[in-house]
Amino acid sequence: MQEGAALRSSVRWCGLCVALSLLGLSAWAAEYHVRQDGLGDFATVQEAIDAAQDGDTIVVHPGRYVENISFGGKNIVVSSLAPQDAHTVASTVIDGGQSGSVVSFAATEDETCVLCGFTITNGSSVAGGGIAGGSLQTAQTRAAIVRCTIVGNSAKFGGGLFLCAGRIEACLIKDNVAEYGGGGLFGCNGQISDCTVSHNRAEYGGGLYRCNGRISDSLVSANTAKFGGGLYYCDGTLSSCRILDNSADYGAGIAGGEGLLIHSLVLGNEARFNGGGLYRFHGTARNCLVVRNSAKFGGGLYDCWGQITNLTVSGNSAERGPGVCSSSASLMNSIVWGNGVPGQRQLFASTAPTYSCIGNWVCGQQGNISVNPLFVSGPLGDYYLSCYAAGQSQDSPCIDTGSGVCEEFELCNRTTRVDSVPDTGRVDLGFHYPVVDLVASCGLNRQQFAKGSQMQGYLSLTNRGAPVVVDLYLMIVLPDGSAYYLSSDGFSALAAAWASGVSLPKGFSFGPQKVFELRIPNDAVPGCYLYSAVLRASGKKYRLASASALFEVEGD
Ligand SMILES: [Ca+2]
């Protein structure tokens, strides 16, 4: 009974392809169970694949299967018992035993072929230590690889995956090594979404090497290479990705690429020589955040050309061109501010931007300004723009100073404001964050308090998204990091909600309203405190909004 439920759920999680294959071939489709305890149809995965026909499903029960499996062109579904369950994925292991690729495809499989919910490890081969999807001479498999953990494999080309051109979804690709290119993935030209590619290593493309399809909503972090720590010459679309903490000699975050880079974050990447964030990128970059990267030359961008709009380049560092170095890219509607040490030239040997806000800028050019953009922290990061209407004390000079209107850049559904009100009219400069449905903001009657004085805490809430039920926590965080929660009984060190199960319909708006009043005790420790509000959705889908306001309790 329990097993049936788990199986139904595994089939559901493997996606639409399974449903289609079952519908189309239901009269013929068989289902085989692979178990190591002798109670299944087979004891090894390969025996089941050998017996299967197109449209069949193979369900593999937990265990460590030391074998190298080959699909041989069959359009079948091979799934663990419960792919949505991380524990099941971790305990259903195919172990390649250091003798060849763990999983091989014949390259002729189509989209109805699915590998779902396994840990794939300990493979070692020339190409595709974890999964080999074809060869450069033949075609590439279209098989979908879903909810797999591909960890600890090695190869010359593609430590984790090689030439898998189907859907790669919700996979963790970690700790794989390639001697030449693609520590994580090599030449995977399909759709890669919701994946984490981390701690992989290669000479070229620590994370991904020449993956030219669509890469979206993925995290590429802490990979290392000589060229292209995160990505190396991926020429497709990179959308809503986070490229964090990768390292390389040249091009720590992204090296090369002539496709579209959009709505992405390139943060904390470190190059020994050139190009901390982007190196020789020459496609179209729109609405990205390139921050806190470092290099010898070109902390943010090095030798980039192509069209770049609405980039925020800040907090990067380098000996020369902490923001942008040796680039002929036409930068527009962008912010290059706060890179390098104070007074350092933000751009070095680079084409002058237009309609941009640039630190220490004396070179003019159309529409440029050199005034502090007034970044403020908001629900999703630290590069929102100060805005009077959103509760800050003044407007950023980057609001409404771009060239063109936000529609032209498809930014009218994104925001530069901490209260998530979307951009309108003339486009704002720099990166636009996604709109957050649930927004909280905190305020106090003052920012500094003497002992014995009266503090008033304010709160406002807005829900622009679907109706949601939330628990609301209000707390004061002390200088030592301990928190006191505000509830109907006053302040308590125990975690207690200020309000539980509160329904917030779409369009709900509250405050700013006074929600508590507190006399600062005479024995209060002087220092920096935080007043903070956290909203947690009570439903299944985890959603969270938080806000905080700093204040200081003065000494005697
Ligand atoms: Ca605007």
Side-chain angles (χ1 to χ4, degrees):
M1 191 64 191
Q2 205 174 10
E3 205 163 86
L7 176 61
R8 279 196 299 280
S9 115
S10 83
V11 167
R12 189 168 62 241
W13 278 91
C14 287
L16 184 65
C17 299
V18 184
L20 288 177
S21 65
L22 289 177
L23 274 177
L25 296 154
S26 56
W28 312 99
E31 183 183 296
Y32 299 108
H33 285 252
V34 179
R35 299 177 69 133
Q36 292 184 319
D37 59 8
L39 298 174
D41 303 302
F42 300 100
T44 68
V45 183
Q46 189 61 51
E47 285 174 282
I49 293 175
D50 292 342
Q53 311 269 339
D54 281 1
D56 288 351
T57 297
I58 294 168
V59 179
V60 181
H61 291 241
R64 190 173 196 96
Y65 298 84
V66 181
E67 54 180 311
N68 305 82
I69 68 169
S70 178
F71 275 71
K74 291 182 180 176
N75 292 314
I76 54 178
V77 174
V78 179
S79 171
S80 66
L81 257 183
Q84 79 281 15
D85 171 44
H87 180 71
T88 302
V89 174
S91 59
T92 312
V93 180
I94 308 178
D95 178 335
Q98 291 288 312
S99 56
S101 304
V102 184
V103 179
S104 301
F105 290 99
T108 53
E109 297 85 359
D110 66 22
E111 291 81 359
T112 63
C113 179
V114 182
L115 176 70
C116 186
F118 291 93
T119 294
I120 290 156
T121 190
N122 206 23
S124 173
S125 69
V126 174
I131 304 178
S135 77
L136 290 170
Q137 287 74 35
T138 63
Q140 310 180 352
T141 189
R142 299 273 164 185
I145 298 158
V146 181
R147 292 188 175 271
C148 287
T149 298
I150 297 140
V151 59
N153 304 284
S154 62
K156 199 163 184 184
F157 309 95
L161 296 98
F162 178 78
L163 301 187
C164 296
R167 184 165 61 96
I168 301 173
E169 193 182 298
C171 289
L172 169 62
I173 299 155
K174 195 181 168 193
D175 289 327
N176 302 286
V177 181
E179 207 178 297
Y180 178 76
L185 301 99
F186 182 109
C188 296
N189 295 331
Q191 304 247 339
I192 301 169
S193 61
D194 296 304
C195 288
T196 297
V197 181
S198 77
H199 295 91
N200 302 285
R201 184 158 48 89
E203 189 97 346
Y204 299 86
L208 299 97
Y209 177 97
R210 294 192 186 275
C211 295
N212 299 332
R214 184 182 168 82
I215 306 165
S216 61
D217 302 294
S218 292
L219 168 67
V220 179
S221 72
N223 302 285
T224 56
K226 267 196 179 148
F227 296 86
L231 298 100
Y232 181 88
Y233 286 86
C234 295
D235 290 335
T237 296
L238 199 66
S239 167
S240 300
C241 287
R242 288 171 299 146
I243 317 298
L244 314 183
D245 301 328
N246 301 284
S247 58
D249 287 353
Y250 299 86
I254 298 174
E258 57 180 27
L260 174 65
L261 172 65
I262 186 166
H263 304 326
S264 291
L265 169 62
V266 180
L267 185 151
N269 302 285
E270 210 177 310
R272 260 177 81 196
F273 303 114
N274 302 345
L278 306 183
Y279 172 83
R280 296 198 168 159
F281 177 81
H282 50 283
T284 302
R286 285 167 49 193
N287 197 49
C288 292
L289 199 50
V290 179
V291 294
R292 304 206 282 273
N293 303 284
S294 65
K296 195 162 189 217
F297 301 122
L301 279 69
Y302 180 89
D303 193 14
C304 292
W305 62 103
Q307 301 290 321
I308 297 181
T309 51
N310 292 97
L311 220 64
T312 292
V313 181
S314 184
N316 302 285
S317 60
E319 276 175 30
R320 284 202 176 149
V324 180
C325 189
S326 306
S327 289
S328 59
S330 59
L331 229 69
M332 191 172 80
N333 296 345
S334 295
I335 300 174
V336 186
W337 186 274
N339 300 284
V341 295
Q344 194 177 0
R345 278 171 64 184
Q346 304 287 292
L347 285 87
F348 184 85
S350 295
T351 303
T354 54
Y355 294 94
S356 293
C357 174
I358 313 156
N360 306 317
W361 184 250
V362 291
C363 302
Q365 294 291 330
Q366 206 170 13
N368 290 328
I369 55 173
S370 189
V371 189
N372 191 331
L374 303 174
F375 292 128
V376 286
S377 297
L380 298 175
D382 303 326
Y383 297 91
Y384 288 86
L385 300 176
S386 180
C387 174
Y388 188 77
Q392 288 84 46
S393 59
Q394 55 180 314
D395 279 335
S396 159
C398 299
I399 295 174
D400 292 340
T401 42
S403 169
V405 291
C406 63
E407 284 89 352
E408 281 176 54
F409 302 94
E410 293 170 41
L411 292 173
C412 297
N413 58 350
R414 298 177 73 97
T415 186
T416 60
R417 289 172 50 157
V418 297
D419 62 358
S420 250
V421 173
D423 194 3
T424 55
R426 200 165 157 185
V427 69
D428 302 349
L429 301 186
F431 180 67
H432 289 50
Y433 284 93
V435 166
V436 175
D437 293 340
L438 215 51
V439 182
S441 80
C442 286
L444 294 159
N445 55 328
R446 281 203 296 277
Q447 280 172 311
Q448 285 173 313
F449 296 92
K451 289 172 184 175
S453 68
Q454 206 69 18
M455 173 197 282
Q456 293 166 354
Y458 292 81
L459 176 73
S460 61
L461 298 176
T462 308
N463 181 24
R464 289 191 200 83
V468 63
V469 179
V470 298
D471 298 332
L472 170 62
Y473 296 80
L474 295 182
M475 53 194 140
I476 301 286
V477 182
L478 274 53
D480 67 2
S482 58
Y484 280 87
Y485 291 83
L486 180 64
S487 69
S488 50
D489 306 328
F491 279 93
S492 153
L494 298 171
W498 185 68
S500 300
V502 186
S503 290
L504 306 180
K506 184 179 167 68
F508 174 87
S509 184
F510 166 90
Q513 195 167 309
K514 188 168 79 179
V515 286
F516 72 88
E517 209 164 63
L518 171 75
R519 200 183 64 83
I520 304 292
N522 287 325
D523 58 353
V525 181
C528 192
Y529 289 65
L530 199 69
Y531 159 42
S532 181
V534 176
L535 285 139
R536 280 177 207 279
S538 326
K540 255 190 197 168
K541 196 178 170 190
Y542 184 74
R543 285 206 304 192
L544 183 143
S546 67
S548 54
L550 279 168
F551 64 94
E552 193 189 333
V553 172
E554 296 163 337
D556 297 316

